[in-house]
Amino acid sequence: MKRPTFRRCGTAPGALSPEDQAVVDQFRAMLTAVRNPQPWTPGGSQDIAVRVGPFVERAHTRPGDDHGPEMIAVALVHPDTPHAAGYLHGRRLGYTERGWLRCDTSAILGVWQPGYAMLTHAAANLALPDDVGMELAHYALYIEARKRDDSLDGYTLLRLGPYTQTRHAQQDYDRLTATLEGRETTAVPGFRVSARYAPFDVSDHQLFVDPYEADAVALLDAAVAGVSA
């Protein structure tokens, strides 16, 4: 029995429609990305491709939670970031709720390439799993004294960390900010004192005070008193 021949309207026999051609091009780009990963260097600002189970995801990187080359802090993002449609789709699939995570550098494929997009949960219209294989990044609070002339001159009064749960860091940040309210420019003469919330930098661990061993407000008061003495 002779097999029927199918033709798409408006195309020559055997030609692909624009939609099919786009899929083919995406597939070729994916193969190129997988076969020729672009090396990633620690400290680089480019997004990276990271393994999450059998999938590949796009991630932002930032300093913090690093100890040598083995661990960095990352945030998983939708492959179409920063486009609005990608943000909305990513929010529905759980990309925007992860926060910063501790990523083992052995899970990094290389610099992010658009060809990896076909391998993401988003491409399969699947929500990110509850367990992505990465723990929450450790956070820290930095209480800083900066010159009141709005310059960047100044120093760090106190470093608190690591916080193993971000909600604890947020609670202490709120308490410290409330304590400093009305005292920002008087606590340390000539300086403006404020708290900053950021990932914990393991490389400087010796400079931090454990926030679980003492009250954060008491530590702030002691730091201010030490400067004023």
Side-chain angles (χ1 to χ4, degrees), residues 8-12 14-26:
R8 295 183 176 87
C9 294
T11 63
L16 295 175
S17 69
E19 294 79 8
D20 288 343
Q21 186 62 55
V23 173
V24 170
D25 291 344
Q26 287 179 331

Side-chain angles (χ1 to χ4, degrees), residues 180 183-189 191 193 224 227-228:
L180 288 169
R183 300 174 54 202
E184 300 96 329
T185 59
T186 60
V188 178
F191 292 83
V193 179
V224 171
V227 172
S228 303

Side-chain angles (χ1 to χ4, degrees), residues 89-165:
H89 191 222
R91 185 174 184 180
R92 182 168 65 82
L93 298 181
Y95 281 82
T96 61
E97 301 170 359
R98 297 290 165 167
W100 292 96
L101 304 167
R102 306 182 74 222
C103 176
D104 192 319
T105 53
S106 64
I108 299 173
L109 297 178
V111 173
W112 173 261
Q113 301 180 56
Y116 289 123
M118 288 187 69
L119 304 177
T120 63
H121 286 80
N125 204 30
L126 295 174
L128 287 174
D130 293 336
D131 182 5
V132 296
M134 291 179 270
E135 299 177 354
L136 289 175
H138 293 158
Y139 276 76
L141 295 179
Y142 299 79
I143 293 81
E144 300 171 330
R146 300 296 178 193
K147 285 287 190 179
R148 291 170 59 181
D149 58 6
D150 293 328
S151 70
L152 297 178
D153 295 335
Y155 58 95
T156 302
L157 270 174
L158 180 66
R159 294 173 173 86
L160 297 175
Y163 287 90
T164 56
Q165 295 188 39

Side-chain angles (χ1 to χ4, degrees), residues 62-97:
R62 69 177 299 168
D65 228 332
D66 58 340
H67 198 301
E70 290 84 18
M71 192 74 65
I72 62 170
V74 303
L76 299 180
V77 296
H78 190 279
D80 291 337
T81 296
H83 302 295
Y87 175 80
L88 293 174
H89 191 222
R91 185 174 184 180
R92 182 168 65 82
L93 298 181
Y95 281 82
T96 61
E97 301 170 359

